Amino acid sequence: PNQEPKLHKMFVEDFRRGDLKRTIQRDFRDLKEFMLNEERRLKLQQLGRFRRWFYMSWWFLKTLFFKLTPARRFLVALSLFLFFMQDNFNVSSSGFRVNFNFGPLSGILLLFVLMLELKDKLLAHEELEAGQAVQRALMPPRSPDVPGWRIWLFTRSANEVGGDLVDFIKISPKRFAVAVGDVAGKGLRAALLTAKLQATLRALAPDFTSLPLLGAKLNEIFNRDSLPTLFASLLYFEFEENGSLRFVNAGHLPPV
């Protein structure tokens, strides 16, 4: 079994990599992109440095509270309350005196919430890895064997899963098809709709000899079953071993 790395060695390796500053800056940019909407980002550009940091800190904290569950929101609020309280809380009675320091308790509560959020992130990452495995299973062979043609197919998502579609369909022994498409957006939402589009195309392609009619039917089904704010583009080729080629372009980049 793999042994966990020693904690002090892990910190030493982190410092030796030499990219901590760049990584922190990149994480901070990603945090602003995630936490702030376009209106707030534009407002920050109009503020001075001090006011900008004050507003940004408040908006970060406010957005954090909105995104937490009610129980975790309460724990974070309690930890902040304890942190800003007087460091030592004294209780005296009949010569008996007890001092309470809430600083460590505040840190423990924040660490507990952080561990819960990390657990959620790791579970989501495992689900994305499972989705990535499904997308790989749906990928066609990289070099399909088609008489008279040389074909090479490849795609790689920017994230674990994505909305890019590359597919190969053997419609009949002498009729073949390649599809290249893109569902708007990234991540799991786009990946699910891509799988839906791929399955629909594979089911309909053998029944249509007219490519415009095939495109119209795909458009009808995708528009019916997808979210109203999303769209997809598709480039669909059909070719035969005798060298004939025809295609339909549904909003995609022109083929070269």
Side-chain angles (χ1 to χ4, degrees), residues 12-29:
V12 171
E13 290 297 325
D14 289 342
F15 280 105
R16 284 179 177 175
R17 292 178 58 184
D19 62 346
L20 283 178
K21 181 179 179 181
R22 185 172 66 252
T23 303
I24 292 173
Q25 290 175 341
R26 183 189 62 203
D27 289 343
F28 184 67
R29 288 195 301 268

Side-chain angles (χ1 to χ4, degrees), residues 183-186 188-191 193 222-223 226-233:
V183 175
K186 294 181 175 62
L188 187 59
R189 179 175 61 177
L193 290 176
F222 188 85
N223 184 62
S226 70
L227 299 174
T229 56
L230 290 183
F231 66 93
S233 61

Side-chain angles (χ1 to χ4, degrees), residues 2 52 87 139 172 199 212 233:
N2 296 328
R52 184 188 308 140
D87 287 342
M139 278 291 296
S172 70
S233 61

Side-chain angles (χ1 to χ4, degrees), residues 162-165 180-187 189-198 222 226 230-234 252:
D164 297 323
L165 170 64
V180 178
D182 184 19
V183 175
K186 294 181 175 62
R189 179 175 61 177
L192 290 173
L193 290 176
T194 300
K196 168 72 174 179
L197 178 60
Q198 182 182 20
F222 188 85
S226 70
L230 290 183
F231 66 93
S233 61
L234 181 69
H252 204 68

Side-chain angles (χ1 to χ4, degrees), residues 240-252:
E240 298 182 6
E241 61 179 345
N242 61 10
S244 65
L245 171 68
R246 56 199 186 115
F247 70 91
V248 61
N249 189 347
H252 204 68

Side-chain angles (χ1 to χ4, degrees), residues 53-249:
W53 280 101
F54 176 80
Y55 273 84
M56 188 164 54
S57 300
W58 168 244
W59 285 336
F60 279 178
L61 185 62
K62 186 177 179 181
T63 307
L64 170 67
F65 275 100
F66 286 153
K67 292 185 179 297
L68 291 173
T69 62
R72 297 176 192 181
R73 191 156 50 231
F74 170 77
L75 290 176
V76 171
L78 179 60
S79 67
L80 293 176
F81 173 75
L82 295 176
F83 177 79
F84 288 109
M85 277 186 62
Q86 183 180 356
D87 287 342
N88 294 297
F89 182 72
N90 302 319
V91 178
S92 301
S93 178
S94 302
F96 182 74
R97 183 173 182 175
V98 180
N99 294 330
F100 294 96
N101 188 337
F102 292 110
L105 179 58
S106 172
I108 290 173
L109 289 175
L110 280 177
L111 182 60
F112 177 64
V113 174
L114 178 62
M115 292 175 66
L116 292 175
E117 291 294 310
L118 178 60
K119 180 263 299 179
D120 290 347
K121 180 179 179 180
L122 292 176
L123 288 176
H125 183 68
E126 290 180 358
E127 292 179 355
L128 287 176
E129 286 184 335
Q132 187 181 51
V134 172
Q135 278 202 319
R136 285 198 300 265
L138 293 174
M139 278 291 296
R142 182 167 294 188
S143 300
D145 184 15
V146 180
W149 294 84
R150 291 198 306 176
I151 301 174
W152 186 77
L153 305 173
F154 177 76
T155 182
R156 181 171 61 189
S157 175
N159 301 321
E160 285 87 349
V161 293
D164 297 323
L165 170 64
V166 173
D167 200 13
F168 170 80
I169 308 172
K170 184 177 181 180
I171 302 175
S172 70
K174 294 185 178 182
R175 184 180 167 206
F176 309 90
V178 167
V180 178
D182 184 19
V183 175
K186 294 181 175 62
L188 187 59
R189 179 175 61 177
L192 290 173
L193 290 176
T194 300
K196 168 72 174 179
L197 178 60
Q198 182 182 20
T200 306
L201 179 59
R202 288 186 175 186
L204 294 179
D207 298 330
F208 283 81
T209 56
S210 169
L211 298 192
L213 291 179
L214 173 62
K217 190 62 177 180
L218 279 172
N219 182 65
E220 176 187 344
I221 294 175
F222 188 85
N223 184 62
R224 180 194 66 193
D225 296 340
S226 70
L227 299 174
T229 56
L230 290 183
F231 66 93
S233 61
L234 181 69
L235 189 60
Y236 178 79
F237 296 88
E238 276 198 12
F239 48 92
E240 298 182 6
E241 61 179 345
N242 61 10
S244 65
L245 171 68
R246 56 199 186 115
F247 70 91
V248 61
N249 189 347

